[in-house]
Amino acid sequence: LATGPRQNNSIFYEIRTYDIKPSKMKEFVEMINKYCHFRTAHSELVGFWSAELGAMNKVFHVWKYDNFTHRAAVRHALANDKDWQGKFISAALPLIEKQHNEVAYLVPWCQLGKPPKEGGVYEWVTFQMKPGGPALWGEAFQAAINAHINTGYTKLIGVFHTEYGLLNRVHVIWWNESPDHRAAGRHSAHEDARVVAAVRDSVRFLDSQQNVLLIPLQCSPLK
């Protein structure tokens, strides 16, 4: 059932989610905004967000690596970075309740996108698909994504397929101008016969789905 990398090169993305102590969320966000430059000196940050709806006191961040050797070198350098360890890690760890990471590849038919402007909101959608990988459900899933893109109400940022973590999991990141713009677009999509047909075909392979509305942090390249 192994599917291998979802692209033709070795680039992958590490997806990290942290549960922050409820009383410490503001403090954590202030700290990462202040000290994130120590971290980004070592590797590329794709985006850093806090959850607004669908989850609470949770942050999402995505890091890009050239390969696993690159990641190992970055982790070694971070462990020896006195500024990162002393100014952020030592103070931030007591604020965090739980950490989780996954390694994922961009699916081969998707390029990492950017929003047309700053100031919008992001929707992080996690699909747990049935075992079998893209060989089983890839075409139907792609058709469902494209059907939503074709409505024009939302902007696709990226589609990631896990390699480490829960397998057969796909994370899709969308951008919208506002929560209300997203809600209006979703309402229209539900009345679009092309979208309905594509989704009905795809959900045959779906076990579960979770949607989270995200707000980009000040330090996030994707804003």
Side-chain angles (χ1 to χ4, degrees):
L1 297 180
T3 57
R6 303 268 52 81
Q7 57 191 43
N8 295 324
N9 55 49
S10 58
I11 293 172
F12 68 85
Y13 299 83
E14 183 174 6
I15 298 170
R16 287 183 166 242
T17 56
Y18 295 170
D19 290 316
I20 310 301
K21 293 179 180 178
S23 63
K24 301 297 184 180
M25 185 66 181
K26 182 175 182 292
E27 183 179 351
F28 180 88
V29 170
E30 290 175 348
M31 286 183 58
I32 193 62
N33 280 330
K34 183 176 181 180
Y35 296 119
C36 190
H37 64 283
F38 294 128
R39 176 62 183 84
T40 55
H42 294 279
S43 65
E44 182 180 346
L45 173 64
V46 175
F48 208 125
W49 305 267
S50 62
E52 181 72 12
L53 297 171
M56 296 184 68
N57 304 302
K58 186 184 288 286
V59 295
F60 294 68
H61 41 128
V62 179
W63 299 87
K64 181 181 179 181
Y65 293 101
D66 296 335
N67 49 47
F68 289 99
T69 299
H70 178 214
R71 181 186 183 276
V74 168
R75 300 304 297 175
H76 178 77
L78 286 170
N80 292 283
D81 186 323
K82 294 181 179 179
D83 284 328
W84 178 245
Q85 295 293 331
K87 294 181 179 180
F88 179 76
I89 293 296
S90 59
L93 284 180
L95 313 182
I96 301 172
E97 288 190 328
K98 186 186 301 182
Q99 295 176 298
H100 178 70
N101 76 328
E102 295 174 306
V103 166
Y105 293 92
L106 276 172
V107 297
W109 43 268
C110 171
Q111 298 293 321
L112 192 62
K114 293 184 178 181
K117 61 182 180 180
E118 293 185 2
V121 296
Y122 292 78
E123 183 178 8
W124 186 293
V125 190
T126 299
F127 300 90
Q128 187 62 48
M129 308 301 290
K130 294 185 183 300
L136 176 67
W137 42 259
E139 290 185 4
F141 188 88
Q142 180 180 356
I145 294 296
N146 286 336
H148 283 87
I149 293 172
N150 292 338
T151 63
Y153 81 88
T154 187
K155 166 69 175 177
L156 179 66
I157 301 299
V159 182
F160 302 87
H161 179 220
T162 56
E163 186 73 7
Y164 288 100
L166 280 175
L167 297 183
N168 299 291
R169 173 176 281 193
V170 185
H171 299 287
V172 183
I173 305 176
W174 301 95
W175 178 89
N176 284 281
E177 292 183 10
S178 69
D180 286 324
H181 183 262
R182 184 263 183 193
R186 290 284 290 175
H187 181 76
S188 298
H190 291 161
E191 296 180 345
D192 188 317
R194 296 165 299 175
V195 174
V196 172
V199 169
R200 282 179 177 171
D201 188 41
S202 178
V203 297
R204 296 183 294 125
F205 307 106
L206 179 66
D207 277 340
S208 65
Q209 176 181 337
Q210 182 180 18
N211 293 32
V212 182
L213 187 72
L214 302 177
I215 305 297
L217 271 58
Q218 179 184 336
C219 66
S220 178
L222 288 174
K223 289 187 171 61

